[in-house]
Amino acid sequence: MHRLAPYQTGLWLAEYVDIRCQLCRVYRSTAQPQLLSSSSAHETLDTLSACSSANVLPNDHSRFVRVRQQITQRLKSGLLCTHCHHSITWLPKPFAVDIAAGTALSIQAATYYDYPLRQAIRAFKHHEDMTKLPLLLHAIRQLPRPRGCHKNNSVIVAMPTTEQRLIKRGFDPVSILAAQLAKHWCIPLWQGVERVDNTVSQQGLTRAERLSNVDNAFALIEKPPVKRLLLFDDVATTGASLQALGRAIYDQTNPSQKRPSQNQPLTVDDPSIPNSYHIYAYALAHGSQS
């Protein structure tokens, strides 16, 4: 029998057992003013408990239906209450980075690198705080799957880490997040790219230093099994890492055919290039609204 990792068990409990918002810790509901009172919440749980122990429906069938609808509504409302969900700006405008002459890679972030995602990402990455994972999972679920991509024609490429960093940190946070994205989109992960060990952390570097640091930092170790590659990183501050990863894939997979006119920049998934690889890029957070 397959055993769940501790963080997987925690996610399962957060989604299906803990009915509190993963940010404000108040009960999840359709709207903040309509949050259930503590008494009604306990009444709901007591009713369900009684039904489970007796293994029969309660006498008041309409009441049971109401209770079931409330529970179903909570489970489908996401891991945040409506108030907290709408307090965060989701899906900022995508930004583009050049990965070749006349070729741009568009990067879509789930939200901005502001509170509360900034604090949650830092706690998860640097302090192994798995209690922040449900909030990050909620953010992952805001990312729109590119049209036409599915499990038979696409793979997700998590930002690779080095063996040295993996040993130092003890786990790979981006791979954990990418696995949740793969589950959400029903698209498999592909680990056909490796990262060179002589690069340093991007944190605290200027844009020019970031670009120089990750130049030639990635290499394909096998041919992509499909034509659609969905790159993923946790934070795209300047997009330098995703740019370098996209460039490495583009340089080693791009067909020799080019459009006759170079007046307009190409996007990586330009349909006018026959048999080309379609590359998309996603991140949990980017930039700041302030």
Side-chain angles (χ1 to χ4, degrees):
M1 182 178 177
H2 178 67
R3 299 181 63 181
L4 294 177
Y7 79 87
Q8 292 174 311
T9 304
L11 284 177
W12 189 89
L13 292 173
E15 185 157 18
Y16 298 110
V17 178
D18 186 358
I19 61 174
R20 294 175 295 176
C21 170
Q22 295 299 312
L23 185 56
C24 69
R25 305 306 295 168
V26 182
Y27 292 107
R28 302 201 291 265
S29 67
T30 55
Q32 190 75 1
Q34 299 174 8
L35 289 172
L36 295 174
S37 65
S38 297
S39 59
S40 63
H42 287 303
E43 181 183 356
T44 298
L45 294 176
D46 291 341
T47 302
L48 286 178
S49 178
C51 293
S52 299
S53 59
N55 198 27
V56 294
L57 291 174
N59 294 331
D60 187 353
H61 181 69
S62 61
R63 183 185 181 192
F64 174 77
V65 171
R66 251 190 342 266
V67 169
R68 186 174 62 180
Q69 288 175 342
Q70 287 177 343
I71 296 300
T72 302
Q73 189 176 43
R74 286 172 185 165
L75 294 180
K76 291 183 177 179
S77 64
L79 291 161
L80 301 185
C81 68
T82 303
H83 176 78
C84 289
H85 174 84
H86 290 303
S87 69
I88 301 172
T89 301
W90 301 108
L91 300 180
K93 184 178 179 180
F95 67 101
V97 291
D98 295 329
I99 61 172
T103 305
L105 174 66
S106 179
I107 302 175
Q108 173 67 69
T111 186
Y112 292 99
Y113 192 52
D114 290 327
Y115 174 85
L117 265 296
R118 179 177 64 237
Q119 287 77 2
I121 291 173
R122 288 177 176 175
F124 175 62
K125 287 181 63 174
H126 303 299
H127 303 289
E128 299 184 46
D129 187 352
M130 295 298 171
T131 64
K132 305 302 182 184
L133 196 50
L135 173 57
L136 302 182
L137 175 58
H138 187 87
I140 285 173
R141 291 176 176 175
Q142 311 311 310
L143 288 170
R145 181 171 60 180
R147 183 174 299 179
C149 292
H150 51 77
K151 64 180 181 180
N152 295 324
N153 69 356
S154 308
V155 291
I156 295 175
V157 184
M159 180 61 62
T161 189
T162 65
E163 184 176 352
Q164 181 181 2
R165 292 181 197 172
L166 187 58
I167 293 174
K168 181 179 180 180
R169 181 170 283 162
F171 78 118
D172 185 1
V174 177
S175 289
I176 292 177
L177 297 173
Q180 297 304 315
L181 181 62
K183 182 179 178 181
H184 176 55
W185 282 352
C186 296
I187 293 177
L189 288 171
W190 178 64
Q191 298 176 326
V193 184
E194 65 177 359
R195 186 161 188 162
V196 181
D197 279 320
N198 60 3
T199 58
V200 299
S201 173
Q202 295 283 76
Q203 190 172 358
L205 301 181
T206 65
R207 176 170 177 79
E209 290 171 337
R210 288 171 183 267
L211 291 172
S212 176
N213 181 50
V214 293
D215 191 29
N216 299 318
F218 304 98
L220 268 66
I221 56 178
E222 61 182 71
K223 183 179 179 181
V226 291
K227 293 292 185 179
R228 297 175 183 264
L229 308 175
L230 316 179
L231 315 185
F232 175 78
D233 200 2
D234 54 354
V235 180
T237 306
T238 63
S241 295
L242 287 170
Q243 181 181 25
L245 178 58
R247 179 178 295 154
I249 295 174
Y250 181 89
D251 289 343
Q252 299 180 51
T253 61
N254 184 53
S256 57
Q257 296 94 340
K258 293 184 179 180
R259 293 174 61 178
S261 173
Q262 296 291 336
N263 294 330
Q264 296 296 329
L266 302 173
T267 56
V268 182
D269 58 335
D270 198 307
S272 64
I273 306 179
N275 301 319
S276 64
Y277 284 84
H278 301 249
I279 307 176
Y280 310 80
Y282 294 87
L284 268 186
H286 160 71
S288 175
Q289 280 188 290
S290 57

